[in-house]
Amino acid sequence: MTAYSFIQNSFPTIFDNIKSNIGNKVGSGADGECYLFNNDSVIKCSILYDCKDSNSLMTDYNNLVEKFNFLINHSPSHIVKLFNYKLVGTNFRDTDFGKQEYLLHYYVMEKLIPISNDEGKVFHTIISHNDFNKTKIFSKDKLDEMLNNLSLGLDFDKTKVTLFYNQIQESLIEHKDLHERNVMKDINNNFKLIDLDRLSWRKK
């Protein structure tokens, strides 16, 4: 079942309050699914599972809320704008290993547009790609050299890419699932990170 279905089945009253504003599905991932919301924004229905070897679900969620509040109060320009969020509740599901608790929540954010194939290739090259457990941190000169080389065969705005890369490296918020599939852009072609379920404080 999807996070959306869990909300619909486990918390029908809350689902009834939002369903009339939910439009077509626009994306999905390990944590949940995204839908158009009120035509001009996006809602992500998310789920956390109790894995026994980690914090309690409420501790994990409250840690996430700290980052949500930071985003709402400070609106860092390289991260999708967050409008609001809500804890839906907790419940249990049957698994092969017994009952497993889960926590449902959702958040509403600005509507963005996909990056181009060329831009995706650029970000695949220059930002961390946790699918392969790689961390990519380049000096200013090295980044400049790489982007110059990439520009010979790919179409992208080098200035905006450089700004976005520097914002990621300097931010107080660290994205723990950093790859090109979690990059989109706004109507002004400014790049932004999505998938807010995977945020942490940057270690000093």
Side-chain angles (χ1 to χ4, degrees):
M1 292 179 67
T2 64
Y4 182 83
S5 298
F6 274 121
I7 294 175
Q8 183 177 9
N9 294 331
S10 299
F11 300 92
T13 300
I14 291 178
F15 178 78
D16 286 343
N17 290 335
I18 62 174
K19 68 178 182 180
S20 62
N21 297 316
I22 293 180
N24 293 332
K25 185 177 179 179
V26 295
S28 62
D31 304 300
E33 312 82 46
C34 293
Y35 299 84
L36 289 177
F37 192 70
N38 288 331
N39 297 318
D40 59 357
S41 56
V42 171
I43 185 170
K44 182 169 184 183
C45 301
S46 293
I47 189 165
L48 297 173
Y49 290 106
D50 181 10
C51 297
K52 302 300 182 185
D53 57 349
S54 61
N55 299 321
S56 71
L57 288 179
M58 281 307 304
T59 297
D60 286 341
Y61 178 72
N62 287 333
N63 287 337
L64 190 57
V65 164
E66 289 183 358
K67 287 79 174 182
F68 285 175
N69 288 334
F70 178 87
L71 296 183
I72 290 174
N73 292 329
H74 298 279
S75 295
S77 58
H78 69 294
I79 300 178
V80 61
K81 184 173 179 60
L82 179 64
F83 298 128
N84 58 68
Y85 60 87
K86 182 178 179 62
L87 171 65
V88 176
T90 61
N91 207 333
F92 292 86
R93 67 171 185 168
D94 292 318
T95 73
D96 292 340
F97 306 100
K99 295 284 187 180
Q100 182 184 39
E101 188 177 15
Y102 60 85
L103 181 149
L104 295 163
H105 66 101
Y106 66 77
Y107 52 89
V108 180
M109 53 194 163
E110 70 177 312
K111 181 182 176 182
L112 298 175
I113 57 179
I115 60 175
S116 69
N117 289 335
D118 281 3
E119 290 164 341
K121 292 175 182 177
V122 172
F123 290 125
H124 178 79
T125 302
I126 68 169
I127 65 176
S128 299
H129 202 300
N130 289 351
D131 286 351
F132 300 103
N133 197 29
K134 294 180 179 178
T135 299
K136 301 176 181 178
I137 302 176
F138 305 110
S139 68
K140 179 180 180 298
D141 289 342
K142 182 62 177 177
L143 178 66
D144 192 60
E145 176 188 354
M146 293 177 65
L147 294 179
N148 284 336
N149 289 334
L150 289 167
S151 68
L152 297 176
L154 301 174
D155 181 23
F156 62 95
D157 187 324
K158 178 184 172 183
T159 299
K160 289 184 181 292
V161 169
T162 301
L163 174 63
F164 179 63
Y165 178 88
N166 290 335
Q167 289 171 326
I168 290 174
Q169 300 303 325
E170 297 166 3
S171 177
L172 296 174
I173 293 284
E174 184 175 10
H175 199 294
K176 304 303 290 185
D177 194 20
L178 193 59
H179 52 70
E180 74 278 4
R181 296 190 302 278
N182 279 335
V183 180
M184 298 186 75
K185 57 188 177 182
D186 62 20
I187 58 174
N188 297 313
N189 290 319
N190 296 310
F191 299 108
K192 299 192 174 189
L193 293 171
I194 60 170
D195 195 3
L196 304 183
D197 304 82
R198 301 301 182 93
L199 302 179
S200 68
W201 298 117
R202 186 176 298 280
K203 295 180 180 178
K204 297 181 180 180

